[in-house]
Amino acid sequence: MAKKTAHDDLLASVTLAVGQEELLLDRAVQEVVAAARAADADTDVRDLTSDQLQPGTLAELTSPSLFAERKVVVVRNAQDLSADTVKDVKAYLGAPAEEITLVLLHAGAAKGKALLDAARKAGAREVACPKMTKPADRLAFVRQEFRATGRSATPEACQTLVDAIGSDLRELAAAVSQLVADVEGTIDEAVVGRYYTGRAEASSFTVADRAVEGRAAEALEALRWSLATGVAPVLITSALAQGVRAIGKLSSARGGRPADLARELGMPPWKIDRVRQQMRGWTPDGVADALRAVAEADAGVKGGGDDPEYALEKAVVAIARAARSRGRG
């Protein structure tokens, strides 16, 4: 969950949301906007990408208003701002306007570090939005989601939900919301199992995610769990195909911002970020090998082989090997 690491005034002049977890970044923005609109229902919200904030734009947006309205200015991917625009932002940090809250979303890496440091030095309220890569972090996230609703869920229920849904925080948050809305009393493992165990889409894409990340053992474990809970093999081959094709499409695309690539490739921006992380280690030959493995598995599960489970295991291992093809001689 997002962690506040500085003062907690949601209406502070500047809020700095740092990290790469899209759900947490969005929530950091939503919290500020909600607080601003609670103070002034007519609050004007301007939500901009880094390429929309050109030199001079911030001065225009933060200039005194004839109606003295409250305003929230959100800048996404602040690490990608041009040098001239960074100068504008730094100047603004030194003398922020009244009744205006500037929200900077920054990935937190080395790129754009000067702006990150300047915002911190200026005393910005900071919200940490780190990528949750560890199962323990996602488990803690689910527990916090239930606590935030005032509802009780057993530890086994939380673990079962993480196992069923996987690594996508938006799906985990949505699952908690659904359970809270539909179920009375304490939410236990049996309830979660009834709703989510064996959910084909979630479990099949978990297999694909682990495979394209080169994590063969985890992919095989997820595969066996999926098959044991009744997921159709054809759904798993479909998920594997989508995962490999996404790697191929993004690796051959022109460089650009996630929003631009999303439009070009027909993927949501959050998926662009995920696939970028997954494609490390892949080569064009690796993508070709993986696609052949998926095609063979697809034929195997549709009647071309005697053992669909073995066909899937073989494909998963081949994809995971292909994901580590870079650097191998």
Side-chain angles (χ1 to χ4, degrees):
M1 63 297 308
K3 299 178 182 178
K4 284 74 174 178
T5 57
H7 56 86
D8 268 349
D9 181 8
L10 289 167
L11 297 180
S13 297
V14 181
T15 284
L16 180 64
V18 183
Q20 299 179 42
E21 190 60 69
E22 290 294 330
L23 174 65
L24 301 184
L25 291 168
D26 285 346
R27 284 186 173 181
V29 172
Q30 291 163 8
E31 284 183 343
V32 172
V33 171
R37 286 183 169 155
D40 180 355
D42 295 325
T43 294
D44 181 22
V45 178
R46 303 297 179 91
D47 196 327
L48 308 172
T49 58
S50 56
D51 58 339
Q52 291 174 315
L53 194 70
Q54 297 296 317
T57 304
L58 184 61
E60 294 176 10
L61 292 174
T62 57
S63 59
S65 168
L66 179 64
F67 304 102
E69 64 185 355
R70 182 175 291 279
K71 186 178 293 185
V72 176
V73 179
V74 180
V75 180
R76 298 182 183 271
N77 298 314
Q79 71 278 358
D80 295 330
L81 291 171
S82 69
D84 287 340
T85 304
V86 168
K87 291 179 183 178
D88 287 353
V89 176
K90 286 183 176 180
Y92 179 81
L93 292 172
E98 293 185 8
E99 301 298 307
I100 292 178
T101 297
L102 175 64
V103 184
L104 298 173
L105 275 56
H106 194 293
K111 185 178 182 181
K113 188 174 183 298
L115 177 59
L116 193 63
D117 292 342
R120 286 170 170 162
K121 186 176 180 180
R125 167 182 174 266
E126 185 169 343
V127 183
C129 305
K131 202 74 176 173
M132 294 192 181
T133 57
K134 298 178 180 178
D137 292 337
R138 294 191 288 274
L139 182 59
F141 171 80
V142 167
R143 289 172 175 164
Q144 178 58 34
E145 289 291 291
F146 279 116
R147 281 197 294 269
T149 67
R151 294 292 299 279
S152 297
T154 66
E156 294 79 11
C158 294
Q159 185 64 63
T160 299
L161 191 60
V162 172
D163 291 342
I165 299 298
S167 61
D168 192 308
L169 289 201
R170 291 187 190 278
E171 289 195 13
L172 286 168
V176 170
S177 296
Q178 181 178 15
L179 288 166
V180 167
D182 292 354
V183 179
E184 295 182 358
T186 299
I187 295 166
D188 59 19
E189 182 179 9
V191 169
V192 176
R194 193 161 63 245
Y195 272 74
Y196 292 102
T197 297
R199 198 178 74 155
E201 183 180 8
S203 55
S204 61
F205 280 103
T206 298
V207 176
D209 282 342
R210 298 297 86 79
V212 300
E213 290 162 4
R215 295 153 65 179
E218 293 179 43
L220 288 170
E221 181 181 357
L223 171 64
R224 289 160 189 153
W225 182 87
S226 297
L227 293 171
T229 54
V231 177
V234 68
L235 293 177
I236 299 174
T237 56
S238 176
L240 290 171
Q242 289 185 49
V244 175
R245 286 180 189 135
I247 297 287
K249 288 167 68 175
L250 189 56
S251 62
S252 62
R254 299 187 305 274
R257 297 184 177 91
D260 297 328
L261 288 170
R263 286 190 294 271
E264 179 184 343
L265 303 178
M267 299 180 190
W270 64 263
K271 188 168 184 179
I272 296 291
D273 291 333
R274 174 186 288 180
V275 176
R276 273 180 167 163
Q277 294 178 355
Q278 292 175 332
M279 63 190 286
R280 297 167 186 160
W282 282 89
T283 65
D285 287 343
V287 172
D289 291 342
L291 286 173
R292 280 193 292 271
V294 171
E296 291 175 4
D298 190 54
V301 303
K302 291 179 178 177
D306 296 328
D307 189 342
E309 182 173 343
Y310 174 73
L312 286 169
E313 289 182 353
K314 185 178 177 182
V316 163
V317 171
I319 292 168
R321 184 183 302 118
R324 294 290 175 260
S325 58
R326 188 180 299 279
R328 292 210 320 259

